[in-house]
Amino acid sequence: MRDMDAKQEKKINKKKFVRYKDGAEMYSMSQSKFEELAKDAKAVYKINKLVLVNTEILDEYLESFRIV
């Protein structure tokens, strides 16, 4: 399995749930913009005071903005 390209390898190592700060870094955007997008995508999970974002749902939402 050495012939996996970088994109496939990155997808395998990607976390499914991230905190706002980590997600903003991962997507190269400000934390406030990441929070806004995550909420719009309905990808936010709140467990007591812990807030997590499902990156799979967010990725699907972001695809809707793709310019073809």
Side-chain angles (χ1 to χ4, degrees), residues 36-50:
E36 179 186 333
L37 286 170
K39 288 173 185 172
D40 290 346
K42 297 182 176 33
V44 178
Y45 294 73
K46 189 170 182 186
I47 304 134
N48 296 325
K49 292 187 179 189
L50 174 65

Side-chain angles (χ1 to χ4, degrees), residues 48-63:
N48 296 325
K49 292 187 179 189
L50 174 65
V51 178
L52 297 172
V53 176
N54 184 323
T55 58
E56 292 174 354
I57 294 172
L58 183 61
D59 287 341
E60 194 174 309
Y61 176 74
L62 289 175
E63 284 296 322

Side-chain angles (χ1 to χ4, degrees), residues 18-29:
V18 294
R19 293 178 183 224
Y20 285 142
K21 183 179 178 183
D22 298 329
E25 258 181 56
M26 184 187 302
Y27 286 86
S28 302
M29 62 179 72

Side-chain angles (χ1 to χ4, degrees), residues 24 28-35:
S28 302
M29 62 179 72
S30 70
Q31 185 172 329
S32 60
K33 188 61 168 178
F34 181 78
E35 287 181 34

